[in-house]
């Protein structure tokens, strides 16, 4: 059992190598030349230019760089776009209990009062405990009292207090400082 853990499987590397060959064959019939490089060349370029090891910076270091001629990476991005899949909700029209039997029926419509779950909205609440302006994604309710997920917590807010900023497309977007940027060095 310990010996099995000591030797990592090369199955994933084999899959990537066969995929690489298939891509070269499939794209080779086009009018543009297709070239491939090993990960060792990317590693050598990254080390020679002094870049930290991240996926986005590895994409900059792919291919041949003639270091003797002064070729190198001119600019490193300060921020990168981070996209994560959030989904668009379930197609199921029933909510099961812990045994799998239908517990309650959901309404057929996923859109209530012009909003759908996952929409990015701005809520303006004039008074009360949650007075202020809040921005976040919502979960819609049929009665019109939607649930807003703000960074500070969940807020129940009426549909009349909401303003649509972006329709939910099943993804969440955000910016992140790149590891090699000057800003990331100060904060990290």
């Amino acid at each position: 059992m310990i010996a099995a853990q000591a030797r990592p499987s090369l199955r994933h590397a084999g899959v990537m190598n066969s995929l690489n060959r298939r891509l070269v064959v499939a794209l080779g019939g086009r009018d543009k030349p297709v070239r491939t490089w090993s990960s060792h060349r990317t590693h050598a370029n990254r080390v020679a230019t002094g870049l930290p090891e991240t996926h986005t910076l590895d994409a900059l270091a792919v291919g041949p760089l003639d270091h003797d001629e002064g070729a190198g990476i001119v600019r490193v991005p300060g921020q990168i776009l981070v996209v994560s899949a959030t989904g668009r909700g379930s197609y199921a029209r029933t909510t099961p209990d812990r045994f799998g039997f239908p517990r309650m029926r959901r309404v057929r419509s996923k859109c209530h009062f012009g909003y759908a779950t996952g929409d990015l909205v701005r809520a303006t609440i004039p008074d009360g405990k949650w007075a202020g302006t809040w921005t976040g994604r919502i979960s819609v309710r049929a009665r019109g009292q939607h649930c807003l997920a703000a960074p500070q917590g969940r807020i129940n807010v009426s549909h009349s207090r909401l303003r649509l900023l972006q329709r939910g497309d099943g993804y969440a977007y955000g910016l992140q400082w790149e590891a090699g940027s000057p800003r990331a060095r100060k904060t990290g």
Side-chain angles (χ1 to χ4, degrees), residues 92-114:
R93 294 295 98 202
T94 59
T95 302
D97 62 5
R98 63 183 177 161
F99 304 108
F101 293 103
R103 183 173 57 91
M104 61 181 273
R105 304 266 183 234
R106 294 184 189 156
V107 293
R108 298 295 291 168
S109 174
K110 286 187 174 186
C111 186
H112 299 286
F113 298 95

Side-chain angles (χ1 to χ4, degrees), residues 38-109:
S38 68
S39 59
H40 300 291
R41 164 119 8 142
T42 303
H43 174 74
N45 288 341
R46 189 171 24 82
V47 169
T49 54
L51 294 175
E53 183 176 357
T54 65
H55 287 294
T56 52
L57 296 180
D58 277 353
L60 292 175
V62 169
L65 288 178
D66 191 2
H67 303 293
D68 296 332
E69 296 290 326
I73 297 170
V74 178
R75 187 174 56 211
V76 175
Q79 287 183 324
I80 55 172
L81 177 66
V82 179
V83 181
S84 57
T86 58
R88 293 180 177 224
S90 173
Y91 286 106
R93 294 295 98 202
T94 59
T95 302
D97 62 5
R98 63 183 177 161
F99 304 108
F101 293 103
R103 183 173 57 91
M104 61 181 273
R105 304 266 183 234
R106 294 184 189 156
V107 293
R108 298 295 291 168
S109 174

